[in-house]
């Protein structure tokens, strides 16, 4: 919850940049966010992983979601945290075609501590890796 104001600000800035490009006739490829802002709904809200009643309410009110963005959420977390994150992703992600994007920094030892999380995503959430960039 403490990062929500920053996320809201970043979303507003991205939408403002997109609107400027739309008004100037720039293509969606010229904007990192892409797409038509008039047809996209963007919301920022807190959701605790594993809080399935809250996840159900969120899906009922606003979802399911085409994209779930996860940034720095996996590194050396205990199994219980991974399971809560996986259950939440499974609940809120649109099917078929929903995508989960992980922004993740490889760190020393992460191939041992974090690899099981990523390798279990297809089994637990029904998602598979399409691309990895380093």
């Amino acid at each position: 919850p403490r990062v929500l104001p920053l996320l809201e600000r970043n979303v507003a800035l991205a939408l403002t940049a997109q609107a400027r490009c739309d008004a100037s006739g720039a293509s969606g490829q010229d904007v990192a966010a892409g797409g038509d802002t008039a047809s996209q709904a963007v919301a920022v809200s807190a959701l605790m992983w594993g809080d399935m009643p809250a996840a159900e309410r969120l899906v009922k009110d606003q979802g399911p979601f085409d994209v779930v963005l996860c940034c720095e959420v996996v590194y050396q977390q205990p199994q219980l945290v991974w399971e809560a994150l996986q259950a939440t992703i499974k609940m809120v992600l649109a099917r078929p075609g929903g995508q989960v994007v992980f922004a993740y920094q490889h760190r020393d030892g992460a191939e041992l501590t974090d690899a099981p999380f990523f390798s279990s995503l297809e089994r637990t959430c029904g998602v598979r890796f399409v691309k990895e960039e380093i």
Side-chain angles (χ1 to χ4, degrees):
R2 65 181 168 78
V3 299
L4 289 180
L6 179 58
L7 291 172
E8 289 167 343
R9 180 177 179 271
N10 287 341
V11 166
L13 289 171
L15 292 176
T16 300
Q18 176 66 48
R20 284 189 195 132
C21 288
D22 290 348
S24 69
S27 72
Q29 294 174 347
D30 296 332
V31 180
D36 176 13
T37 57
S39 65
Q40 293 180 2
V42 178
V44 175
S45 62
L47 177 62
M48 298 300 291
W49 307 331
D51 184 346
M52 302 320 287
E56 287 178 33
R57 284 191 304 276
L58 184 64
V59 169
K60 182 181 176 201
D61 294 344
Q62 299 178 22
F65 299 93
D66 297 326
V67 177
V68 175
L69 176 61
C70 302
C71 181
E72 294 298 327
V73 297
V74 176
Y75 181 61
Q76 294 188 344
Q77 294 290 342
Q79 182 73 25
L80 189 62
V81 171
W82 288 350
E83 291 169 359
L85 177 57
Q86 290 169 336
T88 303
I89 290 170
K90 187 174 182 178
M91 171 67 68
V92 303
L93 189 64
R95 302 278 198 272
Q99 297 181 359
V100 182
V101 177
F102 283 93
Y104 176 81
Q105 165 100 27
H106 287 275
R107 294 174 176 87
D108 290 343
E111 65 278 0
L112 300 175
T113 60
D114 300 342
F117 171 82
F118 291 109
S119 64
S120 70
L121 283 174
E122 186 167 5
R123 178 179 45 79
T124 59
C125 300
V127 298
R128 62 182 176 80
F129 279 107
V130 175
K131 185 176 182 181
E132 179 179 351
E133 295 182 9
I134 297 178

